[in-house]
Amino acid sequence: MDVRRPTRRGWAAIALAFVLTDLGALGGNNLVVLVASVAWAAVLTDGVLGWLNLRGVVVRRQLPDELYARTGCRGAFVVGRAGRLPGLSLVITDGPATASAERVDREVVLPAWWRFPERGPARLEGLEVRSSFPFGLFDHRVRQGEPAEVLVYPCPRQGTARAAHRPSVEGRPSERREGTGDLRDLRPYRPGDRLRSIHWPTSARVGRPMVGVRSAEEDAGRLVELPADPGEDALERATGALLEAWAEGVPVGVRGLEPELAVPRRGIRWKRRLLDGLAMVRT
């Protein structure tokens, strides 16, 4: 869809061209006719060059992997030029995200930020590419791409999660104990960790206390608790606790969603599944 609308400056130029044309025709003044011709030439040139400027410009969006409400999430627009002429003074809009480029001769990547006011499903309409090149007399707009359905996660806030333990043979939770098996991983020291669990060679090398994660400790995890009727504040704190546990490499689950989501696990797919559940909670 190609839309061409005169700007305020363009309406003024068109009106001036009409007035000068009438004055030159009625008065027979060649100088006025010449000025009117220049005005009409500027209007015509702006319309043609502005259309050619957008012809061949191809834009596609690169959304960030995760979108959080009220938080600027960085993605990008990839802008390419199919024709020989460069694209000049382009402005690209995709819902809440906007980016601009002064010149596009080949493929360029323009950083953009998507910011949504609330969590849940959201819809992005097609990309809009616009330009007022060369004289600002017309606002040229071209819509590209297809609408996209995205899921916005709750805004993360600082929250807490309690330790989760694997049930014993009898089905009762076992007491938390330090790992005694093979060394599986290293993580930063957390308040409450025992000094004997610190991996001193690595701590000396990186300059901060690092704790060795062993097989027995690895089976434990963290469980984020949701109240029976969670509000937005509870969902945001649960999101923050989930992301904190995931960043530390700790298995995490959420109690209060589907029963199977309350079993702490690792992995990016598991993380997104938990976030999807938090984003779709009805309040």
Side-chain angles (χ1 to χ4, degrees):
M1 179 181 65
D2 189 354
V3 177
R4 186 182 302 108
R5 298 175 180 173
T7 62
R8 182 175 300 180
R9 184 187 302 178
W11 284 117
I14 293 173
L16 177 62
F18 270 115
V19 171
L20 292 177
T21 299
D22 291 341
L23 291 177
L26 294 175
N29 190 323
N30 292 333
L31 179 60
V32 175
V33 173
L34 178 61
V35 175
S37 300
V38 172
W40 283 117
V43 172
L44 180 61
T45 301
D46 192 282
V48 174
L49 289 183
W51 175 76
L52 291 175
N53 181 48
L54 291 184
R55 186 180 182 185
V57 173
V58 180
V59 183
R60 68 178 187 274
R61 65 168 72 91
Q62 284 186 346
L63 290 172
D65 294 332
E66 298 166 2
L67 296 168
Y68 296 93
R70 307 198 313 276
T71 302
C73 303
R74 181 171 178 173
F77 294 118
V78 180
V79 188
R81 182 74 189 180
R84 296 182 179 179
L85 296 177
L88 303 173
S89 301
L90 305 177
V91 178
I92 305 162
T93 303
D94 182 34
T98 302
S100 60
E102 292 300 323
R103 185 184 181 93
V104 178
D105 292 318
R106 50 186 175 82
E107 185 174 276
V108 296
V109 179
L110 304 177
W113 293 83
W114 279 262
R115 185 184 178 94
F116 297 87
E118 58 186 14
R119 66 177 176 88
R123 179 180 174 85
L124 293 173
E125 302 298 336
L127 302 168
E128 183 181 76
V129 185
R130 67 180 188 272
S131 175
S132 58
F133 175 84
F135 307 130
L137 303 182
F138 287 91
D139 181 19
H140 301 273
R141 302 189 180 206
V142 175
R143 188 167 292 278
Q144 298 184 7
E146 298 294 333
E149 300 288 343
V150 297
L151 185 60
V152 182
Y153 301 138
C155 177
R157 297 177 58 189
Q158 185 175 5
T160 57
R162 69 175 179 84
H165 312 286
R166 304 192 78 178
S168 64
V169 177
E170 293 80 8
R172 296 190 302 271
S174 60
E175 296 295 329
R176 184 177 186 268
R177 55 192 177 90
E178 299 294 333
T180 57
D182 297 334
L183 182 65
R184 296 293 185 87
D185 199 358
L186 293 168
R187 61 169 174 79
Y189 174 85
R190 296 196 300 265
D193 289 330
R194 296 183 181 182
L195 292 179
R196 67 182 184 183
S197 65
I198 295 178
H199 196 267
W200 295 107
T202 303
S203 301
R205 186 173 66 254
V206 302
R208 59 173 178 167
M210 299 293 291
V211 173
V213 180
R214 298 186 180 274
S215 55
E217 184 183 4
E218 186 187 31
D219 291 338
R222 295 187 194 172
L223 199 58
V224 179
E225 299 278 0
L226 277 180
D229 188 16
E232 292 300 324
D233 180 74
L235 291 172
E236 292 175 359
R237 292 185 182 278
T239 301
L242 188 161
L243 295 179
E244 180 182 359
W246 184 84
E248 295 177 6
V250 179
V252 62
V254 177
R255 174 173 292 174
L257 299 174
E258 300 176 14
E260 60 182 6
L261 299 181
V263 180
R265 296 180 184 175
R266 284 191 177 91
I268 187 65
R269 293 185 179 179
W270 179 250
K271 170 193 174 186
R272 302 267 170 79
R273 188 173 175 184
L274 295 177
L275 288 172
D276 289 350
L278 292 173
M280 296 301 293
V281 171
R282 294 185 179 180
T283 57

